[in-house]
Amino acid sequence: MQAPGRVGLGSPGLDSLGLDRRGPGGPGLGGQWLGIHAAPVASGVPPRAGRTPASPAGHPASPAAPPASGAGRPSPNPGTVAATTPPQSPRPGPPRPGHPSSPELSRMSLFGSLTAAISGLTAQSKALGDISDNVANSQTIGYKRVDTNFVSYITQSNATVNEPGAVIARPNYTNAVQGTIEQAEQPLAMAIGGQGFFSVALAKGTTNGQPVFDERQFFTRAGDVALDKDGYLVNGAGYYLQGWPSDAAGNPDRTILNPIRLNQQVFNPVATTRIDLAANLPADATTTPVTTQAQVYDSLGRLHTVNLSFTSAGTNSWTLGLNAPDDINSAARGTVGLHFGTGATPAVTDGTIGTFTNATGSVTLPGTSATGDPATISFTADFGQGAQTVQLALGKFGLAQGLTQYSGTEFSVRNNAQDGVPLGAYSGLSIRGNGDVAVNYDNGQSRVIARVPLVAFNDPEKLQRLDGQAFMRTPESGEARVTDAASNGVGKLVTGSIERSNVDIATEFTKLIVAQRAYSANTKVVSATDELLQDTINMRR
């Protein structure tokens, strides 16, 4: 009888067990021989019918099993029946280190290295794309550079195993980073010193020769605006500057935001309603009367002259005569007595007007003459467009304002102004520091037609970038807050200037060198991995 032992890897019964025949040092065997227990069989004596071969001591008898594919082959020793053993199930429990089913060998490290390097090539390609975009737009007004952030992805990483993963490139926007502000030749150009954006509109077509605007709201930092043929303020990228419309007094309506358009080319004439005179009547004058002239515009914008003559009527008293040569009815418009200091009733401070008396013609006196009340008379004149009432303001009663009487021999005029204007034609457009858009006319007048607001966001880096240095609001950026310049966290307007790109060429070239080297390094990893895979394939030769 053959002693119990182990069947070697060359045993015919190994195939019937479904075991690997890999030799010593094979990856599936951990560098050791595997054997199986075989039941002892009496040499030349077949087992009795209905009985199974005896098992080694301490082991129960194994049930009979049909012969495997290797059964029936001659035994290596004559007279010995080949041992047959039924297939055995793998032992339960976790796989052993180095076993084919172990997680450490279930993944292809070479392919992992290859895919990791390829992801590095892709990421560096995107970084190169961002750099090239920045360099190309280094002179673009209002452009905001795009930096690159690299994010790693882990396949498996723990205390004993770290498998190759991947890397991706994500854009890092710099929408809130200030660009260089420099003076511009365009008189209407604007830059924002600080946070905020201009609100702009985009034309999507025309109707009857006028632009039709997109309903969406757009924003930009490019303030290189100029007037187009239709009178709109348009920047270099074709976006229309928006603002709050202003009323006749220049007060903005903050409930409406529309494209700013210049459509008031003419400043209509304004008839004179008030003349302000500040002068000193000489208390020591030896000759009278003393005279001066005031300019008056009628409702058609025509200029007329009103002569003012002051004749001494005694100590602290004068008589003012009004004469309008162009009056179609009569040049003489009336007279009025002026009383200063102790010549007034009641007396007032010396040298100041106390009372008006003896008004004639079209002259009308004020209702009260208490100290501090306006010392204003009125008269009428007809220059062909009907009676025109004009007020002549001479200061205040009892105060050294307007018309006074102090020592001197010459009549001196300090101020002679009126509020009428002639017809005015457009002469230019200007934008003030507070954002007011003012139309200037050749008659010396100006009119505010709109105010440019600024728009702020909680997270401007999350704005959607568009063509032409424009942006759109996104849920991540937060709501748009429209406010006056230099208030509520937004910057100030710098007129006559533009904001250049925030790209620094030297920094971009530095990043370019780094990205180029990183790309080359990843190609080396791909080449090395390819050689190793080729060596693995050549092992079958």
Side-chain angles (χ1 to χ4, degrees):
M1 178 181 297
Q2 182 176 349
R6 297 181 181 272
V7 179
L9 289 178
S11 172
L14 186 61
D15 289 339
S16 66
L17 298 177
L19 298 178
D20 196 345
R21 285 193 176 195
R22 286 173 287 188
L29 301 178
Q32 297 182 358
W33 292 86
L34 289 180
I36 59 173
H37 290 288
V41 180
S43 177
V45 181
R48 296 181 182 179
R51 299 184 61 182
T52 59
S55 299
H59 292 275
S62 301
S69 58
R73 290 183 292 184
S75 173
N77 298 320
T80 302
V81 179
T84 59
T85 305
Q88 298 181 4
S89 301
R91 295 182 180 180
R96 293 165 294 171
H99 192 271
S101 60
S102 176
E104 288 84 351
L105 297 179
S106 63
R107 298 172 178 85
M108 300 297 291
S109 296
L110 288 180
F111 281 108
S113 301
L114 183 63
T115 56
I118 291 175
S119 71
L121 292 174
T122 303
Q124 295 301 329
S125 298
K126 293 182 178 180
L128 288 170
D130 293 339
I131 295 171
S132 64
D133 201 16
N134 293 339
V135 173
N137 287 280
S138 61
Q139 300 303 310
T140 303
I141 295 175
Y143 175 80
K144 300 301 179 182
R145 75 173 186 271
V146 181
D147 295 333
T148 307
N149 281 343
F150 297 97
V151 181
S152 64
Y153 278 81
I154 302 301
T155 301
Q156 181 180 4
S157 181
N158 53 42
T160 58
V161 176
N162 183 71
E163 296 185 3
V167 62
I168 63 171
R170 288 182 175 174
N172 181 28
Y173 300 112
T174 61
N175 302 336
V177 177
Q178 178 79 53
T180 302
I181 295 179
E182 65 180 36
Q183 189 173 3
E185 295 181 357
Q186 304 99 309
L188 300 179
M190 295 178 294
I192 302 174
Q195 298 299 310
F197 296 83
F198 297 112
S199 177
V200 292
L202 180 63
K204 62 180 181 180
T206 58
T207 300
N208 298 325
Q210 295 300 316
V212 177
F213 297 102
D214 196 316
E215 292 80 7
R216 296 174 296 175
Q217 291 292 320
F218 302 93
F219 310 95
T220 187
R221 294 275 295 194
D224 53 334
V225 297
L227 282 174
D228 71 352
K229 63 182 182 63
D230 297 317
Y232 289 99
L233 290 175
V234 185
N235 71 2
Y239 287 90
Y240 292 71
L241 182 65
Q242 295 196 118
W244 294 319
S246 297
D247 59 18
N251 300 314
D253 182 359
R254 292 179 173 82
T255 63
I256 303 174
L257 198 60
N258 290 328
I260 299 174
R261 185 185 184 190
L262 171 62
N263 55 7
Q264 301 179 22
Q265 300 284 353
V266 175
F267 194 96
N268 295 330
V270 177
T272 301
T273 60
R274 180 184 175 93
I275 300 172
D276 288 287
L277 178 65
N280 182 65
L281 292 170
D284 305 322
T286 57
T287 60
T288 58
V290 293
T291 61
T292 188
Q293 291 181 335
Q295 305 296 320
V296 175
Y297 289 95
D298 63 18
S299 59
L300 297 181
R302 293 178 297 193
L303 182 63
H304 306 277
T305 300
V306 176
N307 298 315
L308 307 177
S309 63
F310 297 89
T311 304
S312 177
T315 303
N316 296 327
S317 295
W318 297 77
T319 299
L320 169 61
L322 303 171
N323 183 279
D326 295 336
D327 191 291
I328 62 175
N329 297 317
S330 173
R333 304 316 306 151
T335 61
V336 62
L338 310 177
H339 303 280
F340 295 85
T342 57
T345 303
V348 293
T349 304
D350 289 343
T352 63
I353 296 179
T355 56
F356 293 134
T357 61
N358 304 322
T360 65
S362 65
V363 176
T364 303
L365 301 181
T368 60
S369 59
T371 300
D373 287 344
T376 303
I377 63 174
S378 62
F379 65 95
T380 60
D382 188 350
F383 301 109
Q385 303 300 318
Q388 179 176 337
T389 300
V390 180
Q391 291 182 335
L392 178 60
L394 301 176
K396 294 184 178 181
F397 291 111
L399 300 179
Q401 299 179 7
L403 188 64
T404 58
Q405 178 197 254
Y406 292 111
S407 177
T409 58
E410 298 293 334
F411 177 64
S412 60
V413 178
R414 299 187 299 272
N415 179 51
N416 187 349
Q418 51 83 37
D419 60 358
V421 295
L423 178 68
Y426 170 79
S427 65
L429 191 70
S430 62
I431 300 179
R432 301 170 181 171
N434 64 348
D436 282 345
V437 180
V439 183
N440 302 316
Y441 301 92
D442 60 3
N443 60 359
Q445 302 299 307
S446 63
R447 176 182 293 139
V448 175
I449 61 173
R451 178 174 293 182
V452 178
L454 296 182
V455 184
F457 297 90
N458 290 335
D459 191 356
E461 312 297 358
K462 297 297 190 300
L463 291 171
Q464 176 65 49
R465 296 166 70 99
L466 301 172
D467 295 338
Q469 306 92 264
F471 303 89
M472 281 185 61
R473 188 189 69 83
T474 64
E476 293 78 16
S477 67
E479 292 295 332
R481 304 192 310 274
V482 184
T483 183
D484 289 272
S487 66
N488 299 320
V490 300
K492 64 178 182 179
L493 281 180
V494 184
T495 58
S497 303
I498 57 174
E499 180 184 2
R500 288 291 182 184
S501 167
N502 63 357
V503 174
D504 181 75
I505 295 295
T507 301
E508 296 304 315
F509 281 170
T510 302
K511 293 192 295 185
L512 177 63
I513 294 173
V514 174
Q516 181 182 9
R517 295 306 179 194
Y519 189 95
S520 298
N522 279 282
T523 61
K524 297 297 184 183
V525 175
V526 173
S527 299
T529 305
D530 177 62
E531 293 178 2
L532 292 175
L533 288 173
Q534 187 62 44
D535 291 343
T536 304
I537 295 174
N538 293 340
M539 290 174 63
R540 293 183 57 87
R541 296 181 180 178

